[in-house]
């Protein structure tokens, strides 16, 4: 059997923040996993990274948030986050907003957890079905991190030239090599994501292992692949994988009956995969104690008052808070701390695919199918006494409505708006509460700056310009 290093203790020292190697050597005499179930615990703890919610933080770069006057208790938060709000290149540097590892370091730590599991699975004792199921879970989870990494630091797949645009370094094993890592192209990262997901789907589908929805299964992997193909503008494959999920799981929560879309006792049928993280959007119930960056008027305004139930259910609001809408709240008392994948996304992926095919070719069957998915979703989101089916014939109007519905439904979840404004080439305007200067950003070619700490420690990483 291959000699097993202390992979538990290796977790904290891995960072890929520019270190010349992914792992440092560690004592040979510490804990040595022997069973497949030991690796399962590593995947659950260090693979899933529940302590870090990097999903909702991306909202500040989009048109879903605005700046309001900070009170004394949140002035420090304002001073740190305003760098992000203005898309400043020093947002993650000590001479700017301060180092933050949510977008880079946390992802690579999760990837390390997945790589360790994948590296040592074949050396562990245990049932083969569990081994292969965990392999599929680790591959899928690794692809999840790379999908977010490449969309944080690489140009959107459809906006530039993915064959030459820089993405992020691919590291697919936990071994120490002593080398600095360079950035793979956006295309190379996407192709690896695709390979991992296709293999993950096969392994998870053929090796049944009882999981609850807090863990990735074959449906979650298929949902992720539908999203990947949507970003790649491969409409047929995005449709196919959305179909494969909705044929098995098509339930939607009826907001007319109350409740939140992320709630373990009342809405598991809509949840494909969900995790509760240790933080979301910090909100106080006391008057005028909301955070310095809150849900934008633009976001609030896309819901029809007293008709679209999502306005009051998805967005936290209390009339005593004079600043108005504070943030997203799709679970009970979570303020975006719960993140995941729901069946609603698959309806929207499919509707967009059909809308784009109708716009491109004019076949009415695609228009009918897009409207069927949109109306099916809206039936559960609109006040039933005021619900009217949407019927559009113009291809561009249909697509525009579909994309607006996507924003209404998916705000605050797993970086959807961040990825959408980039792939759609939206120009976002931000204004600090005490400024008269509008800051605008064409999101189509916008990428996050790699923190200075990372590029200093790894000179092989080319900085985004």
């Amino acid at each position: 059997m291959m000699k097993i290093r202390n992979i538990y203790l290796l977790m904290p020292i891995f960072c890929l923040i520019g270190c010349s190697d992914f792992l440092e050597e560690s004592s040979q005499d510490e804990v040595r996993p022997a069973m497949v179930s030991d690796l399962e615990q590593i995947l659950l703890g260090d693979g899933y990274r529940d302590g870090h919610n990097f999903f909702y933080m991306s909202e500040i770069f989009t048109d879903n948030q605005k700046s309001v006057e900070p009170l004394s208790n949140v002035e420090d938060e304002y001073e740190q986050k305003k760098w992000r709000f203005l898309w400043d290149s020093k947002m993650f540097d000590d001479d700017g907003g301060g180092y933050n590892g949510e977008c880079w370091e946390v992802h690579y730590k999760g990837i390390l957890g997945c790589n360790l599991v994948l590296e040592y699975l074949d050396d562990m004792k245990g049932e083969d079905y569990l081994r292969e199921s965990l392999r599929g879970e680790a591959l899928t989870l690794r692809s999840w991190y790379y999908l977010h990494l490449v969309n944080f630091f690489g140009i959107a797949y459809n906006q530039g030239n993915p064959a030459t645009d820089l993405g992020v370094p691919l590291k697919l094993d936990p071994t120490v090599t002593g080398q600095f890592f360079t950035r793979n192209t956006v295309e190379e990262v996407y192709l690896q994501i695709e390979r991992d997901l296709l293999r993950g789907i096969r392994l998870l589908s053929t090796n049944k292992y009882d999981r609850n929805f807090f863990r990735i299964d074959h449906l979650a992997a298929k949902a992720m692949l539908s999203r990947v193909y949507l970003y790649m503008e491969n409409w047929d494959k995005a449709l196919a994988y959305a179909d494969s999920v909705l044929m098995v799981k098509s339930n939607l929560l009826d907001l007319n009956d109350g409740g939140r879309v992320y709630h373990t006792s009342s809405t598991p049928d809509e949840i494909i995969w969900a995790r509760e993280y240790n933080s979301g959007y910090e909100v106080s119930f006391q008057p005028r104690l909301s955070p310095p960056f809150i849900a934008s008027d633009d976001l609030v305004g896309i819901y029809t008052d007293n008709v679209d139930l999502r306005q009051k259910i998805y967005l936290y609001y209390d009339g005593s808070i004079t600043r108005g809408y504070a943030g997203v709240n799709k679970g009970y008392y979570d303020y975006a701390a719960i993140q995941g994948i729901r069946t609603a996304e698959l309806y929207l992926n499919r509707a967009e695919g059909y809308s784009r095919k109708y716009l491109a070719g004019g076949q009415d069957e695609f228009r009918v199918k897009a409207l069927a998915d949109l109306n099916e979703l809206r039936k559960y989101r609109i006040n039933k006494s005021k619900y009217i089916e949407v019927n559009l014939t113009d291809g561009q109007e249909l697509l525009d409505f579909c994309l607006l519905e996507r924003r209404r439904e998916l705000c605050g979840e797993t970086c959807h708006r961040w990825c959408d404004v980039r792939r759609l080439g939206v120009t976002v305007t931000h204004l600090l509460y005490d400024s008269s200067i509008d800051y605008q950003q064409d999101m189509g070619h916008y990428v996050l700056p790699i923190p200075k700490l990372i590029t200093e420690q790894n000179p092989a990483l080319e900085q985004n310009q």
Side-chain angles (χ1 to χ4, degrees):
M1 178 182 291
M2 181 186 299
K3 182 179 287 187
I4 305 299
R5 293 184 175 88
N6 175 9
I7 60 181
Y8 287 109
L9 295 183
L10 282 172
M11 290 297 175
I13 61 176
F14 164 81
C15 58
L16 194 66
I17 59 171
C19 301
S20 60
D21 34 84
F22 266 62
L23 297 174
E24 301 289 347
E25 295 290 347
S26 185
S27 170
Q28 304 287 318
D29 301 319
E30 303 294 341
V31 178
R32 296 168 184 258
M35 303 296 295
V36 170
S37 57
D38 296 332
L39 292 182
E40 181 178 22
Q41 295 308 307
I42 290 177
L43 186 66
L44 291 176
D46 294 284
Y48 278 95
R49 309 300 301 175
D50 292 348
H52 301 274
N53 184 354
F54 58 83
F55 303 109
Y56 191 71
M57 62 89 68
S58 68
E59 294 285 281
I60 199 170
F61 305 115
T62 76
D63 47 5
N64 279 355
Q65 287 196 3
K66 71 174 183 178
S67 166
V68 292
E69 180 182 1
L71 300 182
S72 58
N73 66 310
V74 291
E75 284 181 351
D76 290 344
E77 180 186 356
Y78 171 77
E79 290 300 324
Q80 178 195 51
K81 292 184 178 179
K82 72 179 182 181
W83 298 81
R84 304 181 202 176
F85 189 69
L86 300 180
W87 306 287
D88 194 282
S89 61
K90 295 183 178 181
M91 66 176 69
F92 299 135
D93 299 341
D94 288 340
D95 55 346
Y99 177 71
N100 182 286
E102 293 292 315
C103 294
W104 183 280
E105 181 180 344
V106 167
H107 290 70
Y108 278 110
K109 285 183 176 179
I111 289 167
L112 172 67
C114 297
N115 284 343
L116 285 168
V117 171
L118 293 169
E119 178 78 6
Y120 294 114
L121 266 174
D122 290 332
D123 298 310
M124 300 292 108
K125 299 177 182 178
E127 297 288 345
D128 284 342
Y129 80 90
L130 176 57
R131 185 191 323 276
E132 298 310 309
S133 184
L134 288 177
R135 197 187 312 274
E137 188 174 2
L139 287 165
T140 302
L141 188 55
R142 183 172 74 180
S143 71
W144 179 248
Y145 288 121
Y146 273 123
L147 180 61
H148 286 89
L149 273 168
V150 75
N151 277 287
F152 281 139
F153 298 101
I155 293 173
Y157 189 93
N158 67 322
Q159 289 291 335
N161 182 353
T164 57
D165 292 334
L166 292 179
V168 293
L170 283 172
K171 186 67 169 70
L172 307 179
D173 62 71
T175 57
V176 177
T177 65
Q179 71 182 86
F180 290 113
F181 289 88
T182 58
R183 297 172 66 178
N184 291 80
T185 66
V186 169
E187 183 176 64
E188 287 171 337
V189 178
Y190 264 85
L191 288 175
Q192 184 63 49
I193 290 168
E194 181 185 31
R195 284 192 292 268
D196 279 356
L197 285 174
L198 287 171
R199 189 181 179 200
I201 289 167
R202 178 177 60 81
L203 290 170
L204 288 165
S205 298
T206 57
N207 296 277
K208 301 298 184 183
Y209 178 53
D210 187 26
R211 292 174 170 85
N212 59 30
F213 57 78
F214 296 114
R215 292 177 63 176
I216 286 169
D217 65 2
H218 71 101
L219 289 182
K222 290 172 181 175
M224 290 179 197
L225 193 51
S226 175
R227 187 186 303 191
V228 169
Y229 286 134
L230 191 79
Y231 293 170
M232 298 175 73
E233 297 192 342
N234 189 328
W235 312 125
D236 288 335
K237 288 186 177 181
L239 287 167
Y241 280 95
D243 279 341
S244 68
V245 176
L246 293 174
M247 283 190 297
V248 178
K249 192 180 189 71
S250 61
N251 307 63
L252 290 164
L253 174 69
D254 191 345
L255 297 188
N256 284 279
D257 298 331
R260 304 280 179 178
V261 291
Y262 287 114
H263 189 251
T264 56
S265 64
S266 61
T267 63
D269 286 345
E270 180 160 339
I271 298 173
I272 297 172
W273 171 50
R275 302 292 289 191
E276 185 171 3
Y277 294 85
N278 66 349
S279 64
Y281 200 168
E282 296 177 3
V283 171
S284 171
F285 285 96
Q286 301 178 47
R288 293 193 58 78
L289 290 184
S290 55
F293 298 98
I294 67 175
S296 67
D297 298 334
D298 188 40
L299 175 60
V300 176
I302 64 175
Y303 301 94
T304 305
D305 288 339
N306 301 316
V307 175
D308 195 322
L309 299 171
R310 290 172 292 194
Q311 185 187 63
K312 294 291 171 36
I313 293 178
Y314 285 7
L315 304 180
Y316 171 70
Y317 173 75
D318 187 310
S320 65
I321 295 182
T322 58
R323 297 163 190 259
Y325 292 82
V328 176
N329 179 22
K330 293 184 176 180
Y332 280 97
Y333 310 114
D334 77 290
Y335 310 112
I338 299 177
Q339 295 282 323
I341 300 174
R342 298 182 287 118
T343 53
E345 178 191 344
L346 282 304
Y347 281 102
L348 291 164
N349 289 358
R350 201 164 64 176
E352 182 177 342
Y354 284 134
S355 296
R356 292 191 182 273
K357 288 169 71 70
Y358 173 61
L359 184 60
Q363 297 97 320
D364 198 58
E365 64 175 303
F366 296 137
R367 180 187 71 88
V368 171
K369 289 180 177 180
L371 287 171
D373 280 335
L374 291 170
N375 284 317
E376 178 68 11
L377 174 63
R378 287 173 58 79
K379 180 171 64 176
Y380 293 95
R381 303 301 188 241
I382 304 300
N383 186 319
K384 69 172 84 175
S385 66
K386 301 177 181 180
Y387 174 72
I388 300 175
E389 283 199 347
V390 175
N391 186 18
L392 299 169
T393 57
D394 180 82
Q396 189 60 54
E397 288 183 5
L398 176 60
L399 177 59
D400 290 345
F401 184 85
C402 177
L403 295 175
L404 192 62
E405 192 66 17
R406 185 176 178 88
R407 187 180 178 192
R408 292 188 187 103
E409 180 64 31
L410 300 177
C411 62
E413 292 183 62
T414 60
C415 302
H416 278 297
R417 189 58 183 167
W418 161 258
C419 291
D420 284 351
V421 294
R422 295 173 71 251
R423 70 185 180 94
L424 299 173
V426 173
T427 296
V428 175
T429 301
H430 280 170
L431 176 68
L432 287 175
Y433 81 96
D434 60 349
S435 173
S436 60
I437 301 174
D438 284 341
Y439 290 81
Q440 290 191 332
Q441 180 66 59
D442 174 5
M443 302 303 291
H445 289 82
Y446 178 67
V447 290
L448 294 183
I450 301 174
K452 184 178 179 181
L453 175 64
I454 294 172
T455 57
E456 285 179 342
Q457 295 188 15
N458 183 356
L461 285 177
E462 184 176 333
Q463 178 62 276
N464 285 322
Q465 302 300 318

